[in-house]
Amino acid sequence: MTNKKRIVIIGATSAIAEHCARLWAASGPVELILVGRDPVRTERIASDLRVRGQQAEVEVVCTDFLAAADIERTVASVTTRAVDVVLIAHGMLPEQSACEQDLESCRQALDVNGISPVLFAEAFARAMAKKNHGVLALIGSVAGDRGRKSNYVYGAAKGLVERYAQGLRHRFAGSGVTIVLIKPGPTDTPMTAHLKSGGARLAPVDAVAADIVRAIDKKQAVVYVPGKWRIIMLIIRHLPAFVFNKMNI
């Protein structure tokens, strides 16, 4: 038997996930299971984590993120022993204009950002329910708080993740399973490089990761990172339509 905390990271090659993994690897005895799509990139991150965390045991698992059967098999393989934390962190930031012009681009954005995270979460929820143990954290987005013309397909997918997390939290209320929904604002990662080149102010990825790890440790139900986005999105959600519809956001 091992007393190491077991943490599974879905979408381990994302910048936010990688920085969370670095914090966990440096924190002490831990078993990290990195689930990715690209074996070369995922193994590169694993090798780096093994150097950073002398007490970290790191395993790599690769799978198809869009096939329900593969997701189910992958989750079954990593939950033969109890899992303490699952972080579902994968996603992509599509061009809204591409989604409007091409239905395949639209479908892919919805699948990657909405359907796939939910399928992973549902499979892990089943395993955690059997053991009545674990923290299941999903990365949503502030974009899911209100549909906006600049990114409403991405926002719709993240809105699905939010409603799903709400239902899952209700399902596990009073149990040993905790659901955490993380809502980052625009963060300085390769996914948002085009926003940065356009002059957007982005949150440092290491600070966002630290907030996420802290929220998971505290088992917070919903966390905006950075915290200022809780106030910003509260205002945006409550703007009347006649004001909101005049805004170019």
Side-chain angles (χ1 to χ4, degrees):
M1 295 289 291
T2 177
N3 59 358
K4 290 184 176 180
K5 179 182 285 188
R6 296 191 76 226
I7 301 174
V8 181
I9 304 176
I10 307 298
T13 59
S14 78
I16 289 177
E18 181 179 1
H19 279 76
C20 288
R22 289 178 181 178
L23 292 171
W24 279 317
S27 67
V30 67
E31 181 181 349
L32 296 172
I33 300 97
L34 309 183
V35 182
R37 286 164 285 193
D38 184 332
V40 174
R41 288 182 61 200
T42 311
E43 183 55 49
R44 187 182 304 128
I45 290 170
S47 297
D48 177 71
L49 293 172
R50 293 183 187 111
V51 173
R52 292 173 181 271
Q54 295 300 312
Q55 299 183 74
E57 179 182 341
V58 187
E59 176 185 351
V60 167
V61 176
C62 289
T63 191
D64 186 337
F65 278 44
L66 299 180
D70 287 350
I71 290 171
E72 194 155 32
R73 281 193 293 270
T74 299
V75 173
S77 73
V78 300
T79 55
T80 53
R81 291 189 289 119
V83 173
D84 298 298
V85 174
V86 174
L87 174 62
I88 299 177
H90 61 291
M92 59 177 287
L93 186 60
E95 288 287 348
Q96 175 60 36
S97 59
C99 293
E100 293 169 12
Q101 299 299 320
D102 176 33
L103 288 184
E104 178 58 28
S105 295
C106 185
R107 183 202 61 78
Q108 184 181 34
L110 293 170
D111 281 349
V112 171
N113 295 300
I115 300 299
S116 177
V118 165
L119 292 179
F120 270 108
E122 192 65 16
F124 277 110
R126 185 190 312 158
M128 287 179 163
K130 291 177 181 177
K131 294 181 170 61
N132 194 34
H133 172 78
V135 178
L136 177 52
L138 299 97
I139 294 187
S141 172
V142 297
D145 279 20
R146 187 167 188 176
R148 294 177 291 118
K149 64 181 181 180
S150 61
N151 65 356
Y152 62 81
V153 171
Y154 177 74
K158 291 303 187 179
L160 167 62
V161 172
E162 175 168 10
R163 286 294 178 267
Y164 171 79
Q166 287 176 350
L168 205 58
R169 191 177 304 114
H170 191 201
R171 170 185 169 186
F172 286 111
S175 76
V177 178
T178 301
I179 309 303
V180 177
L181 176 64
I182 300 143
K183 294 184 175 186
T187 303
D188 191 0
T189 69
M191 189 173 81
T192 57
H194 64 292
L195 299 179
K196 187 175 182 178
S197 64
R201 296 181 63 183
L202 307 177
V205 66
D206 54 345
V208 168
D211 285 345
I212 290 171
V213 169
R214 191 177 304 112
I216 291 173
D217 286 344
K218 293 181 177 179
K219 300 183 178 181
Q220 292 179 244
V222 179
V223 57
Y224 286 80
V225 288
K228 67 179 182 179
W229 283 99
R230 182 179 295 275
I231 303 301
I232 294 171
M233 297 314 297
L234 177 67
I235 295 168
I236 289 177
R237 285 199 310 272
H238 288 88
L239 286 173
F242 75 89
V243 174
F244 183 75
N245 288 342
K246 295 177 182 178
M247 300 176 71
N248 187 28
I249 60 174

